Amino acid sequence: MDRQISHIWIMRALYLFLAVLIMFLHLLPLDTQPDRWPFPDFLIAMTFVWVLRQPDYVPILLVAAVMLMADLLLQRPPGLLAALVVLGTGYLRSAAPGMRDAGFVAEWTSAAVVITGVFLLNRVILAILSVQQAALGPVVVQVVLTIAVYPLFVLLSQNVFGVRRVSVSDSVTGGARA
């Protein structure tokens, strides 16, 4: 039991490390030219993969802290995208047990719907509050690219970090909650 709990905490620390690494790489001035294509939101894709595959590894408070830190570092309106991602992870967390028997396409579709909803709600709320925002075209491209990199994060998380779907036997034993 202690071994299982320590493994969960190690994986939470790994998630935090990977999130900080993604933000660090995003902030690096690698090119002085403006980007032609917006980058996909790797942080959201990774978070949704981990929530759907191993919800115990990414508790809501950790997601909230990571996304709020990303909002502050990436100079986005503080808390808005963080709150939307927390809502999205809450929905995916509740939907994850029902997707155990569903295939990858169902998982990817659910993640795509939530990613689209997060970006759409973010844009609508910013428009209601009259906050200046990027043109619609690059945002749509970013949503499509974020959805497109989701399978890559599934492969990376599963094969490199061992973040696999919760099996039925794990759910029967109850798993460890920390």
Side-chain angles (χ1 to χ4, degrees):
M1 189 67 152
D2 287 339
R3 172 179 252 166
Q4 194 175 20
I5 291 172
S6 65
H7 178 72
I8 289 173
W9 281 100
I10 289 170
M11 295 307 286
R12 289 175 179 176
L14 177 63
Y15 170 79
L16 181 61
F17 171 76
L18 291 172
V20 169
L21 181 66
I22 288 171
M23 285 183 266
F24 176 73
L25 293 175
H26 188 76
L27 290 171
L28 277 179
L30 297 175
D31 192 6
T32 57
Q33 300 292 331
D35 295 327
R36 292 183 188 198
W37 295 94
F39 281 108
D41 198 322
F42 295 128
L43 192 54
I44 291 176
M46 181 183 72
T47 300
F48 288 174
V49 166
W50 283 46
V51 163
L52 280 170
R53 301 217 156 226
Q54 286 288 342
D56 287 342
Y57 292 171
V58 281
I60 292 290
L61 288 177
L62 180 60
V63 172
V66 164
M67 294 308 295
L68 183 61
M69 184 172 54
D71 282 351
L72 295 173
L73 288 175
L74 302 176
Q75 298 180 353
R76 300 186 294 221
L80 177 59
L81 194 60
L84 294 173
V85 170
V86 164
L87 290 173
T89 56
Y91 169 75
L92 290 174
R93 184 181 307 275
S94 67
M99 280 194 249
R100 282 193 195 110
D101 297 331
F104 172 72
V105 175
E107 174 189 339
W108 191 13
T109 304
S110 297
V113 168
V114 174
I115 289 169
T116 305
V118 164
F119 278 94
L120 184 65
L121 280 172
N122 185 47
R123 190 146 180 93
V124 166
I125 292 170
L126 289 177
I128 289 171
L129 297 174
S130 299
V131 175
Q132 185 178 5
Q133 43 188 322
L136 183 60
V139 173
V140 170
V141 170
Q142 185 180 27
V143 169
V144 170
L145 290 176
T146 303
I147 293 168
V149 299
Y150 184 87
L152 298 175
F153 273 96
V154 167
L155 286 173
L156 182 70
S157 296
Q158 183 170 318
N159 296 329
V160 176
F161 303 118
V163 180
R164 290 178 174 73
R165 251 189 224 186
V166 177
S167 66
V168 176
S169 64
D170 292 340
S171 65
V172 169
T173 59
R177 302 279 296 170

